[in-house]
């Protein structure tokens, strides 16, 4: 069964869901597809203002309590407290578009860890390229440093597809899951991404 994961790489809740998502990816009979929605890219990007940073940190602490995923002091000091940095998921989404699909989840996890644990600026293309290179994805890193029209078009197409899927299934936020393919594809309640992995997997298998 194909499982489609709708997400944004700067979404803290998507980071919080990563452990359960990895379990889904490892389940026999499942094929996981990552589909970015560009929630914080383009018109969704914004400046890292103090008020927004405070709201983000408060939300991050809630996610940490619920999921056990760490949000470090390095992230708080070096990312949230630096108002010169944008809150823009466009670069990270482009980085993921450069990665072979079978390594997409690995790359997403590394990008999330770079931001939320190591406190590195994942809105910076050089940082993202270094993350990919450290995973042995040198070709993807090179493409990201000098993106061509094919890569840019692929990234835009993925985000457009993700947004269209949200509209079709009445999804208002991420992370979100779709099960199946074609006309048989259906939305699956994603609350299990934050705790009840067994129940979520059973829902995915229910068909």
């Amino acid at each position: 069964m194909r499982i489609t994961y709708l997400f944004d790489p700067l979404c803290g809740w998507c980071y919080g869901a990563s452990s359960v998502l990895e379990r889904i990816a490892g389940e026999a009979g499942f094929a996981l597809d990552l589909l970015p929605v560009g929630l914080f890219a383009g018109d969704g990007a914004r400046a890292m203002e103090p008020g927004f940073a405070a709201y983000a940190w408060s939300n991050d602490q809630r996610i940490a309590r619920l999921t056990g995923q760490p949000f470090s002091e390095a992230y708080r000091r070096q990312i949230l407290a630096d108002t010169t940095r944008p809150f823009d998921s466009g670069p990270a989404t482009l980085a993921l578009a450069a990665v072979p699909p079978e390594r997409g989840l690995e790359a997403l996890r590394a990008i999330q860890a770079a931001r939320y644990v190591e406190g590195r600026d994942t809105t910076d293309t050089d940082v993202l390229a270094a993350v990919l290179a450290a995973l042995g994805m040198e070709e993807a890193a090179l493409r990201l440093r000098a993106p061509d029209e094919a890569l840019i078009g692929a990234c835009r197409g993925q985000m457009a597809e993700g947004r269209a899927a949200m509209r079709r299934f009445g999804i208002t936020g991420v992370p979100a899951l779709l099960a199946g393919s074609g006309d048989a594809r259906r939305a699956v309640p994603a609350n299990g991404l934050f705790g009840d992995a067994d129940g979520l997997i059973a829902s995915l298998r229910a068909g």
Side-chain angles (χ1 to χ4, degrees), residues 51-138:
F52 176 70
Y55 166 78
W57 182 250
S58 175
N59 200 46
D60 293 338
Q61 298 315 289
R62 181 184 172 202
I63 297 167
R65 289 191 297 271
L66 186 62
T67 69
Q69 293 294 326
F71 293 82
S72 72
E73 278 297 317
Y75 157 69
R76 184 180 190 180
R77 292 193 310 269
Q78 295 163 202
I79 303 300
L80 296 183
D82 188 345
T83 57
T84 67
R85 301 179 189 275
F87 188 77
D88 181 1
S89 64
T93 305
L94 186 64
L96 292 168
V99 169
E102 66 274 13
R103 299 193 68 184
L105 183 57
E106 178 187 1
L108 175 60
R109 285 287 278 145
I111 290 169
Q112 290 169 328
R115 183 176 183 86
Y116 295 115
V117 179
E118 300 164 21
R120 299 165 70 188
D121 181 12
T122 54
T123 69
D124 185 320
T125 298
D126 288 338
V127 170
L128 291 163
V131 170
L132 297 184
L135 296 175
M137 302 182 194
E138 288 86 359

Side-chain angles (χ1 to χ4, degrees), residues 1-4 24 27-33 178-181 184 186 188 201-207:
M1 177 181 289
R2 303 212 73 84
I3 308 298
T4 303
I24 291 170
E27 282 288 307
F30 284 172
L32 182 67
D33 298 319
L178 303 175
S181 56
R186 60 189 174 86
V188 176
I201 289 169
S203 295
L204 291 169
R205 293 194 184 280

Side-chain angles (χ1 to χ4, degrees), residues 11-22:
C11 163
W13 286 104
C14 297
Y15 168 59
S18 55
S19 293
V20 174
L21 188 68
E22 286 190 338

